[in-house]
């Protein structure tokens, strides 16, 4: 019966236990620390970068707010009425926000949705 993850590591050829020296343990711990630091820095870069999680969250909030503002605009309501009579439905808020973000954040590039999954606001 296996000892599970808490068991003693053994050499597969000799069957003897593999004993780690303090230097080996220290090296392994330092390697794990460096991996954790590397992952942390990568996550920070993703959060701060153009198209990162923070920008994407702000983008979604901007689209909601732009939609609320446009709903109250009588001129916009007139445009929508004409489009509906032509059997066209266009969501302007996502387009306005995308254009604005590209203007104020030159490096902004919205990440494409995974293949086969339409991004929010994409027309079929």
């Amino acid at each position: 019966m296996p000892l599970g993850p808490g068991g003693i590591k053994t050499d597969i050829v000799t069957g003897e236990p593999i004993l780690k020296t303090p230097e080996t343990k220290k090296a392994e711990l330092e390697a794990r620390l460096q991996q954790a630091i590397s992952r942390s820095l990568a996550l920070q870069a993703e959060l701060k970068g153009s198209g990162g999680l923070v920008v994407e969250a702000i983008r979604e909030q901007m689209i909601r707010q732009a939609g609320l503002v446009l709903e109250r605009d009588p001129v916009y309501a007139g445009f929508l009425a004409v489009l509906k009579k032509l059997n066209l439905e266009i969501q302007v808020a996502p387009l306005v926000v995308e254009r604005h973000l590209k203007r104020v954040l030159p490096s902004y590039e919205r990440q494409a949705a995974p293949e086969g999954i339409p991004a929010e606001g994409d027309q079929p």
Side-chain angles (χ1 to χ4, degrees), residues 38-53:
S38 178
R39 285 193 307 266
S40 173
L41 292 174
L43 179 59
Q44 289 176 35
E46 173 64 21
L47 291 174
K48 293 178 184 176
S50 66
L53 299 173

Side-chain angles (χ1 to χ4, degrees), residues 7 12 22 25 32 37 45 50 65 68 70 72-73 77-79 86-88 91 94 96 98 101 104 116 122 124:
I12 195 165
K25 287 181 182 179
R32 286 178 52 198
I37 291 171
S50 66
Q65 184 62 32
L68 293 173
L70 288 172
R72 297 182 197 127
D73 183 4
F79 292 143
L86 298 172
N87 291 327
L88 296 173
Q91 294 180 356
V96 170
E98 290 292 324
L101 286 174
V104 297
D122 286 355

Side-chain angles (χ1 to χ4, degrees), residues 1-3 17 21 28 32 34 54 62 71 79 85 88 93 105 110 118 124:
M1 186 150 121
L3 296 175
T21 64
E28 287 179 0
R32 286 178 52 198
Q34 289 305 315
V54 173
M62 288 175 69
E71 284 177 3
F79 292 143
K85 287 183 181 182
L88 296 173
L105 297 172
R110 181 149 188 249

Side-chain angles (χ1 to χ4, degrees), residues 18 31 34 48 59 75 80 92 100:
I18 299 174
Q34 289 305 315
K48 293 178 184 176
R59 177 190 164 277
V75 174
L80 282 182
V92 175
H100 178 74

Side-chain angles (χ1 to χ4, degrees), residues 55-121:
V55 173
E56 189 62 26
I58 291 172
R59 177 190 164 277
E60 295 300 323
Q61 293 297 320
M62 288 175 69
I63 289 172
R64 284 190 198 99
Q65 184 62 32
L68 293 173
V69 170
L70 288 172
E71 284 177 3
R72 297 182 197 127
D73 183 4
V75 174
Y76 179 73
F79 292 143
L80 282 182
V82 171
L83 291 172
K84 283 184 182 181
K85 287 183 181 182
L86 298 172
N87 291 327
L88 296 173
E89 188 173 324
I90 298 175
Q91 294 180 356
V92 175
L95 301 173
V96 170
V97 170
E98 290 292 324
R99 182 178 291 169
H100 178 74
L101 286 174
K102 286 178 182 174
R103 189 172 295 151
V104 297
L105 297 172
S107 63
Y108 175 77
E109 188 68 37
R110 181 149 188 249
Q111 299 298 321
E115 190 174 324
I117 301 174
E120 183 180 328

